[in-house]
Amino acid sequence: MSKNESAENYLETILILSQRLPVVRSVDIAAEMNFKKSSVSVAMKNLRENGCIQVSGAGFITLTEKGRKIADMIYERHTFLSEWLTSLGVQEQTAAEDACRMEHVVSQESFAAIKKYVTESNAKK
């Protein structure tokens, strides 16, 4: 997993957790991703230094505008690709795992073309 892919996965997880929980903490991220708290702490430091998150004095983690933009992009790709693969007959678990890998490597241009094609194909049905 590349450094960029790892950061994107953390940002996506923070986004998802922020929709489910009143506050997001490192311990929540560690539990969700099944990572050690020490690994999450290092990642949060890097994300904070890169301007993707803010951490309050109480340890609550929020996405900055920059972090939210990245998280939204990755989450949209993941959701769309996972649903598309499932609609093609791929088992849900496999579709989710494949989408997780694909979401990081597909270019913006290719994703937009896939999304347009699938949306137009579904509209014709």
Side-chain angles (χ1 to χ4, degrees):
M1 181 183 320
S2 72
K3 185 176 183 180
N4 193 45
E5 182 179 338
S6 176
E8 290 171 348
N9 281 335
Y10 277 109
L11 293 171
E12 181 183 25
T13 299
I14 294 167
L15 175 67
I16 292 166
L17 287 172
S18 70
Q19 294 169 351
R20 288 195 328 231
L21 303 172
V23 294
V24 178
R25 301 164 299 149
S26 289
V27 67
D28 302 317
I29 298 166
E32 182 74 14
M33 298 180 82
N34 200 25
F35 289 170
K36 292 180 181 175
K37 181 145 177 7
S38 58
S39 299
V40 173
S41 294
V42 170
M44 293 306 104
K45 179 181 182 279
N46 292 333
L47 290 173
R48 189 178 67 249
E49 288 174 353
N50 287 317
C52 294
I53 64 167
Q54 293 178 330
V55 182
S56 74
F60 303 150
I61 299 166
T62 55
L63 296 168
T64 62
E65 185 177 332
K66 176 183 176 181
R68 179 66 185 232
K69 185 177 178 180
I70 295 166
D72 284 341
M73 176 195 68
I74 294 300
Y75 186 67
E76 177 193 18
R77 289 177 178 201
H78 180 89
T79 303
F80 183 85
L81 293 168
S82 183
E83 289 173 359
W84 177 49
L85 291 169
T86 302
S87 76
L88 295 174
V90 177
Q91 290 183 10
E92 257 184 65
Q93 181 68 29
T94 302
E97 291 169 0
D98 289 347
C100 193
R101 288 189 292 277
M102 293 166 66
E103 69 196 23
H104 302 287
V105 296
V106 67
S107 70
Q108 186 62 37
E109 180 183 2
S110 293
F111 179 72
I114 292 167
K115 188 175 175 183
K116 180 181 177 191
Y117 175 79
V118 171
T119 303
E120 288 175 358
S121 294
N122 287 340
K124 291 178 185 176
K125 290 182 181 178

